[in-house]
Amino acid sequence: MQIAFACPTCDAPVRLDDVESLAVLCCGGCGTALEVPPDGFTGTAGGPRRLARCLVCPSTDLFLRKDFPQRLGVGIVVVGFVASCVAWGMRELVATFAILFATALVDLVLYLLVPDCVACYRCQTRYRGAGTEGFAPFALETHARHRQQAARVRALAARRGAGGRRTAPPPPRPRAPARKRRTPQRRA
């Protein structure tokens, strides 16, 4: 199995092969060594081993995705859309739909040819190869949970003052006095 991750210390891209046999994941840029957790794989050492959790962070939430750059995929769709709009503007109806169908065909062929990989919701580490079977596809709810947790950690770190002490929250804004509503009076 191959692993690709960003080093937690220096953010350098790291790619390692045959991860099942390694005890430590080392960054070539800064030398940071991440110990492979003992519960990172299921199965015996002599038999087939399956990935059980992320080896870089403590997350057990992994998902199945296509091993294809998302920006390139979006770029292909945008180019097809712009080209079809140009053809539509030139009043070439057949060319417009031909471009749209060709873009859809390219997307389908890439979907069928590109292999799957497993990714971590928390640190975006990718795992490729044998031992990555049996994971569920992307779940938006799980992704939102991890994104919100990261936002809370960043907000807490921003509120901390010098020396690791927590600063007081900002005072509440004073409220304007409530206005009394006038009701029209009836004349007798």
Side-chain angles (χ1 to χ4, degrees), residues 8-126:
T9 306
C10 68
D11 210 29
V14 180
R15 258 183 198 228
L16 299 170
D17 290 322
D18 200 23
V19 136
E20 302 95 322
S21 63
L22 298 176
V24 175
L25 307 174
C26 291
C27 173
C30 67
T32 298
L34 301 171
E35 198 172 313
V36 174
D39 62 341
F41 294 98
T42 59
T44 60
R49 297 183 76 191
R50 184 179 170 277
L51 186 66
R53 58 164 281 199
C54 184
L55 304 178
V56 177
C57 72
S59 178
T60 57
D61 293 327
L62 304 173
F63 67 96
L64 189 67
R65 62 167 290 163
K66 286 294 182 182
D67 195 13
F68 190 76
Q70 286 180 324
R71 291 179 191 222
L72 180 58
V74 170
I76 291 169
V77 171
V78 167
V79 166
F81 175 72
V82 168
S84 69
C85 286
V86 169
W88 181 265
M90 295 172 48
R91 304 204 186 276
E92 295 290 334
L93 186 63
V94 174
T96 299
F97 287 106
I99 291 169
L100 288 175
F101 287 125
T103 303
L105 182 65
V106 167
D107 186 47
L108 176 67
V109 168
L110 286 173
Y111 179 79
L112 295 174
L113 293 179
V114 172
D116 291 333
C117 73
V118 173
C120 176
Y121 283 102
R122 185 173 177 186
C123 66
Q124 287 78 41
T125 298
R126 290 194 185 184

Side-chain angles (χ1 to χ4, degrees), residues 133-151:
E133 302 83 17
F135 288 96
F138 180 80
L140 187 58
E141 181 180 340
T142 307
H143 172 69
R145 181 171 39 103
H146 282 279
R147 190 183 68 214
Q148 289 169 0
Q149 180 184 12

